[in-house]
Amino acid sequence: MDLSEYDGELGGELGGEPGGGVCGEWVLRLAGSPEQVMRARRLVSATLGRGHPLHDDCVLLTSEIVTNAVVHSRSGRGGAFVLGISCSARGVRVSVQDEGSSSAPCVCHASAEATGGRGLPLLEALAHRWGLVRRAGSNKVWFELELEPAELPRPRLAGVR
């Protein structure tokens, strides 16, 4: 399936994974306009399926890194960005490569009154791993979330409390 043509109407019809999505690897080029933030969120949601245990965190973090590309890079001034989505039985990796900016993204901590500046600190707080690759002025921000194995209850030994 080519998710570049996804229009948001597929919903639960996508199948194959426990979350109802179409896990695999997808790379899509999207226009660097504000409405593409919502499209990127929908693409990640469709890929994972709403029932996927990492769905909400992946959608939130995708929104943050796509917004950064649109607001802080040349992608948002008539350019484009590339969204990469990869999911497997172990976890999910999402990346956004923009057309670059004059300075590298900053993991700054915003004041309580600030209306922005929380995207990369959210990555820091929620992602198992994340990173930034800056080449020739272009920025690629990625994150990974892992499915953690459920903790199995340990059997109690007789007489041990």
Side-chain angles (χ1 to χ4, degrees), residues 32-53:
S33 58
E35 58 273 3
Q36 296 303 316
V37 175
M38 183 185 307
R39 186 169 185 212
R41 288 170 57 100
R42 287 181 177 162
L43 290 166
V44 168
S45 182
T47 300
L48 297 178
R50 291 192 185 272
H52 194 284

Side-chain angles (χ1 to χ4, degrees), residues 60-159:
L60 171 65
L61 294 178
T62 298
S63 180
E64 294 297 331
I65 63 176
V66 170
T67 297
N68 284 351
V70 170
V71 171
H72 300 295
S73 80
R74 287 184 285 279
S75 295
R77 293 188 288 279
F81 63 91
V82 176
L83 173 67
I85 308 165
S86 175
C87 67
S88 69
R90 292 190 46 191
V92 180
R93 178 183 174 105
V94 176
S95 65
V96 172
Q97 182 161 352
D98 64 35
E99 293 185 359
S101 56
S102 57
S103 60
C106 170
V107 184
C108 306
H109 294 283
S111 70
E113 297 82 30
T115 59
R118 291 179 180 80
L120 295 182
L122 271 173
L123 280 178
E124 187 83 25
L126 296 176
H128 287 96
R129 278 178 301 286
W130 75 276
L132 163 69
V133 178
R134 189 164 161 85
R135 285 197 187 111
S138 127
N139 304 304
K140 182 175 188 177
V141 178
W142 59 269
F143 67 85
E144 293 178 353
L145 294 174
E146 294 178 352
L147 289 166
E148 298 179 30
E151 183 135 351
L152 299 174
R154 295 183 208 177
R156 294 183 118 186
L157 299 175

Side-chain angles (χ1 to χ4, degrees), residues 19-35:
V22 288
C23 277
E25 291 190 33
W26 308 97
V27 178
L28 306 143
R29 183 174 174 85
L30 301 170
S33 58
E35 58 273 3

